[in-house]
Amino acid sequence: MKIFPSLHSQYTLHDEKHFLRVTELMAKIIPAPVRNNLNPIEITLLILAAFYHDQGMVVDKEEIEQFNHNEEYILFQSNWELDHPNINEIRSAMKIADKADLNNLHRLENNLYSAMLTDFIRQSHGRRSAEFVNNKYSSDPRWNASGVNLSRLVGKLCYSHVCPAVEIDKKNGFYYDESVGQYVVNMQYLAIILRLADILDFDRDRTPDFLYRSIHFTSNVSLDEWNKHRSVEGWIITQDEIRYTLKCDHPIYHKLALQYMNWIDEELQYAKIIADNFPAKISSNYFLALPQRVDRSRIEAKDNSYVFHDLEFSLSRDEVIKLLMTDKLYNSPSLCVRELLQNSLDALRYRKSVIKRDNGSEFVEGNIFFEHTIDEHGYQLIRCIDNGIGMDEVIIEKYLTKVGRSYYKSPEFARERTTFQKVNVDFDPCGQFGIGFMSCFMLGDQIKVQTRRDYGPNKGLGKPLIVEINGLGGIIVLKEGPSNQKVGTIIEIKSRNKVPEFFDELEDEVKLLEFLRTAALNTEFPITARCNVLQLEDQLVISPDDQKPVTMMERIGVSSIVTFEKDFSEFSPLLKGYARASFLVDSTGLITTSNNEAHWAKGRHGYRSALVKKDSTEHFPIHYQSQAICIDGILICGLHNGEEAFFFESNLETDLDISYTSSFILDIRGELKPEVTPARSLPWSYSCRWDRIFDIIEKANGYIWEQVVASCPDPSDFWILLAAYGGDLQYVRKKILWSHLVVPLRTPGNELLWRSLKDIEILYMSKGKKKK
């Protein structure tokens, strides 16, 4: 252990002096009657455990070098960097630092990574210590007592000082009546004594990591100072009192000390619970007589240099919901349905990729079911059921309950995604921000999640789990579900208030069927939805086929038309959907501006032209089209079926300031996806990715007009069609225009002639009397 300081400079107290103090503290915390009754084996085990419990923290340089190729270490490092934003702060500063500052920044970066390495080793050092003892001494006769080698028991105690206190029980091999020859050893009692003695040494275990999360590289708060000032000026440990005296130079050291006291309190309470549960026949021989709380009265500011208050910014749960989930983030409670749909689609795509990767088969059973109903007590219930990948305890603990952390942005998923990419079954998840689940609280506080993970054909299924949530600030209950629980996830949200006596679409905040009908435009899995609310009873089935947009003329019932279309997948395999436009045709099938069903006329309300059906005065402007942009199959913006999506404040015409002749549904996947807000709406300013999407729509529109140009029998009529239908020639390929388009020219005798562009040698444009 003398090697230890050179390996882990942040933890210099894990040396031979620490072992001596742990041994001393054991003698202090064991009550005298118990200490006098301990048998020689128990005393031997305690002393050996005191000197071997941290051996696992020692690693040689060769082993450290191998960590860089260890997948577990690489994953740990990625997660550690996410939890320590000051790493990025240092790296950003390096880009603009001068040479002197750069050296200092490199030193700080190395310190952080050294601490990270120590944390990685620390998380497994109990197991490593046990392995060290078992491997080195299991055959050493010096460790034999009463015919039994003690290395196994010492190793178990070494492990116990880092395992959860609740695991120190019979089920995990800790017996209060372990036999060693003629002696009976209480392993549970020895384990809690080691744990308490280890932590009462005021070892800085875990506190440096907290410090590294708290400081910034520009701060004068440092680990070196913490090392200097953490030493205790005095301490008292008796049956009646545990008290440490510290004089702190900075409030953060004060907070670190108090945080450590909280940890001691927890261990004291756990130890008492274990000791109190011993059978009556041994409870008088193995008991604890320690206070349940550390006295903090002597932890104070040095020379009154500050006034300590344990203050930090906090957010009111109700205000957070009001701020983030009303018109600031989610502009309708019904957007919870979209988040549930998004999560289900991700889960189904994930499971499909896992199955395809592991055995090459297709996952064709994927489906999503929504239900809006009323329970027997009059509360609304919203259910979303899918047979996707499901969740396990790790995902629930680290991501479902952590606002702002998305599993699909985690190093764990990134590592698995590389395995998908190797066999070309990759998918890019919808989830980005890790806040979507919070939208469920807009509809209700009581949420029940039933889930079961599918690890793939080669690994089998996870445990069935049930998660019960009662509000953002409530306790989350996690329990095991029935053994026949199916793979996938069921989310059920219960409304806060009972349904009023007169309940119709005006009171309906969920708008389940309306939302799905409008927004689920290009999902590759079937979606079934049912509303059982008495006044709103209806159901909906959305097939997984690509939805082609309906043109304006098709929707208003004009049949004498010709329709041209362009498949967006021809531009990129990451795009799905079609652009389509219809044109009136005459009795011979030629494109025209008027036939026996409808004609184009001057538009009203500022529109330059509009379609008028025969025997009708209603005007249908060219803008009356279905135009929708989707990401991962879900509508982001636009007009669908001629009606603006009720849940979006933006549409293509007004916010993007663009309009097209065609109707279109464009679905974007993978690396082509442009950025959106957390509410999955358009950002205030558009990036080059959005410009690229608009450019593709324009090109599809241009392709449609190329077909119009090529099929127009009288080229002179083309200009009339262009004006009536609101066309744009910007994206029509020049060779098409050159081959088919004609322009009007005036002869010197003022005669109007139509000539093909390719036949004209010189063109003059006149303005006034001057020729240019």
Side-chain angles (χ1 to χ4, degrees), residues 1 9 29 104 154 223 318 402 407 431 439 443 507 510 518 606 642:
M1 289 304 293
S9 58
I29 62 178
N104 184 49
V154 173
L223 188 59
D318 294 337
K402 297 290 189 296
Y407 171 70
S439 66
L443 295 177
E507 284 78 30
V510 182
T518 308

Side-chain angles (χ1 to χ4, degrees), residues 743-747 749-755:
V743 294
L745 298 176
R746 291 285 182 181
T747 67
N750 206 31
E751 181 184 2
L752 181 63
L753 299 175
W754 289 89
R755 291 287 184 269

Side-chain angles (χ1 to χ4, degrees), residues 176 274-287:
Y176 56 76
I274 292 172
D276 288 349
N277 285 330
F278 289 147
K281 62 182 180 180
I282 68 167
S283 59
S284 59
N285 294 327
Y286 300 97
F287 62 89

Side-chain angles (χ1 to χ4, degrees), residues 263-281:
W263 188 27
I264 295 176
D265 287 350
E266 290 177 10
E267 290 300 321
L268 288 169
Q269 292 159 17
Y270 282 133
K272 188 175 187 305
I273 291 171
I274 292 172
D276 288 349
N277 285 330
F278 289 147
K281 62 182 180 180

